């Protein structure tokens, strides 16, 4: 596999394909305090992170605003997580303030590791050990010689997606199997994330949203019955009191000449009713976005602030968001 540099995604997304997820870095947490440290900072029940289950998680401010959206992968006694490359230094520095309480426990970026995205079931078949059962649902994972393969959320159009987290040198047969998969640009993987309804944070959106606004509970990223962690009170109150008034939607944007940027407003007339979270342009001229939008405005004639001539059309997500039916309580 070789990297392909293209700012635009293919339409439709081809498969099988593999893409180097070059905008993410891998971080290793190691030492005797690993689980206790993560349990106190992340929205996931750390005991549930096993060799066969690699769930998503969020870390939040005391006000419940997400500054980290990640996946947790058990690697022996250590845990691996992923971070956006442009936010990794700040996130690691912040989390190390809490890590100081756990002597002998470290948190380091794996500078040589590169996560690989796999589109389509055929892209993963030859990477799995013989006799491995199907990775049936998002979060299922299996250890291979040299890393981990994880099933992630399918796109709404039914494209199966996987991630390969290398932790060492793959053996020759796996290297060849990977080399035989046609390469795709990073933009294809980013487009598949949008089509799967999986948000990622940027400098413009960090600490802007409670995880439920990003549908993080619907991609397996929040354990509502775990004990206390930073931001838990706000997250639990929003869940149990039904206070969610805005959440993540997927839209197609007509050719407007300008790709909507993370953080910019979506407008209903002169009123801001939401914000772009992620966006990607396609080779045929259209773009797609994920945006956090008020439930009572999501189906109105919205436009991005930077492109008043654009037309937004709702697109499906691969999961339901039942909280959208609850619109009679105050916003949080």
């Amino acid at each position: 596999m070789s990297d392909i540099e293209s700012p635009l995604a293919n339409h439709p997304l081809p498969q099988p394909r593999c893409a180097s997820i070059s905008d993410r870095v891998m971080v290793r947490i190691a030492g005797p305090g690993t689980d206790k440290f993560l349990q106190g900072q992340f929205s996931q029940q750390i005991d549930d992170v096993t060799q066969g289950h690699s769930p998503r998680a969020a870390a939040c401010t005391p006000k419940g605003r997400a500054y980290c959206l990640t996946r947790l992968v058990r690697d022996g006694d250590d845990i691996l997580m992923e971070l956006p490359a442009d936010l990794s230094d700040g996130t690691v520095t912040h989390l190390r303030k809490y890590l100081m309480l756990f002597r002998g426990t470290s948190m380091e970026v794996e500078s040589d590791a590169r996560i690989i995205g796999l589109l389509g079931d055929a892209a993963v078949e030859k990477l799995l050990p013989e006799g491995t059962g199907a990775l049936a649902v998002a979060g299922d994972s299996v250890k291979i010689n040299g890393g981990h393969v994880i099933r992630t959320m399918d796109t709404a159009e039914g494209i199966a997606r996987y991630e390969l987290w290398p932790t060492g040198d793959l053996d020759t047969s796996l290297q060849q199997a990977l080399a035989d998969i046609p390469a795709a640009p990073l933009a294809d993987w980013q487009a598949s994330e949008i089509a799967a309804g999986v948000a990622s944070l940027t400098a413009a959106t960090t600490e802007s949203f409670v995880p439920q606004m990003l549908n993080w509970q619907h991609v397996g990223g929040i354990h509502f019955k775990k004990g206390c962690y930073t931001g838990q009170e706000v997250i639990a109150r929003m869940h149990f009191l039904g206070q969610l008034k805005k959440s993540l939607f997927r839209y197609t944007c007509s050719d407007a000449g300008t790709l909507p940027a993370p953080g910019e407003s979506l407008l209903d007339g002169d009123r801001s009713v939401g914000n772009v979270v992620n966006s990607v342009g396609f080779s045929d001229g259209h773009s797609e976005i994920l945006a956090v939008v008020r439930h009572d405005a999501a189906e109105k004639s919205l436009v991005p602030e930077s492109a008043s001539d654009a037309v937004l059309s709702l697109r499906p997500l691969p999961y339901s968001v039942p909280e959208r039916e609850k619109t009679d309580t105050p916003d949080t």
Side-chain angles (χ1 to χ4, degrees), residues 142-165:
V142 63
K143 184 173 177 59
I144 64 172
N145 186 8
H148 304 266
V149 175
I150 303 149
R151 180 74 181 259
T152 185
M153 187 71 66
D154 292 356
T155 69
E157 290 70 38
I159 297 177
R161 304 191 316 131
Y162 302 83
E163 294 172 1
L164 170 61
W165 289 42

Side-chain angles (χ1 to χ4, degrees), residues 47-320:
D47 286 346
D48 291 346
V49 183
T50 65
Q51 185 170 295
H53 184 56
S54 302
R56 297 186 184 276
C60 301
T61 68
K63 294 184 179 180
R65 301 283 162 159
Y67 66 84
C68 174
L69 301 177
T70 189
R71 182 186 298 282
L72 303 175
V73 178
R74 181 77 63 177
D75 187 50
D77 293 330
D78 303 345
I79 285 185
L80 306 173
M81 59 187 286
E82 57 164 344
L83 296 174
D86 59 349
L87 298 180
S88 60
D89 287 348
T91 302
V92 170
T93 297
H94 177 77
L95 284 168
R96 280 178 178 157
K97 296 176 183 178
Y98 301 97
L99 194 62
M100 292 172 62
L101 301 173
F102 301 90
R103 181 173 297 182
T105 303
S106 63
M107 183 177 190
E108 302 292 341
V109 174
E110 300 274 275
S111 57
D112 294 331
R114 180 67 61 85
I115 299 171
I116 298 168
L118 302 162
L119 296 176
D121 286 321
V124 79
E125 289 173 353
K126 293 183 179 180
L127 298 177
L128 299 178
E130 189 172 342
T132 300
L135 299 179
V137 298
D140 283 356
S141 60
V142 63
K143 184 173 177 59
I144 64 172
N145 186 8
H148 304 266
V149 175
I150 303 149
R151 180 74 181 259
T152 185
M153 187 71 66
D154 292 356
T155 69
E157 290 70 38
I159 297 177
R161 304 191 316 131
Y162 302 83
E163 294 172 1
L164 170 61
W165 289 42
T167 55
D169 293 332
L170 299 174
D171 63 31
T172 302
S173 62
L174 291 178
Q175 291 182 36
Q176 185 59 54
L178 199 58
D180 289 343
I181 304 169
L186 174 62
D188 277 14
W189 183 257
Q190 293 170 332
S192 79
E193 290 275 87
I194 288 174
V198 178
S200 61
L201 295 175
T202 64
T205 57
T206 186
E207 298 187 23
S208 296
F209 308 110
V210 175
Q212 291 103 306
M213 296 178 185
L214 299 164
N215 297 357
W216 211 239
Q217 71 277 33
H218 300 303
V219 296
I222 306 176
H223 192 294
F224 288 111
K225 295 183 180 180
K226 69 167 285 185
C228 183
Y229 59 93
T230 303
Q232 185 252 358
E233 183 179 352
V234 174
I235 292 168
R237 184 170 67 244
M238 178 170 283
H239 174 68
F240 290 110
L241 298 183
Q243 295 178 330
L244 190 66
K245 293 291 290 291
K246 49 189 172 184
S247 60
L248 195 71
F249 292 82
R250 174 189 175 200
Y251 293 92
T252 292
C253 183
S254 66
D255 183 4
T258 301
L259 182 66
E264 79 169 81
S265 293
L266 294 186
L267 303 177
D268 174 23
D270 295 329
R271 183 176 69 130
S272 175
V273 295
N275 297 92
V276 176
V277 177
N278 301 114
S279 60
V280 66
F282 287 85
S283 55
D284 66 353
H286 83 285
S287 59
E288 283 199 6
I289 66 172
L290 290 175
V292 171
V293 180
R294 291 186 60 91
H295 297 164
D296 58 6
E299 298 187 28
K300 295 187 176 181
S301 299
L302 307 182
V303 296
E305 187 175 24
S306 63
S308 58
D309 293 335
V311 176
L312 294 183
S313 302
L314 270 173
R315 298 283 290 151
L317 294 172
Y319 50 78
S320 62

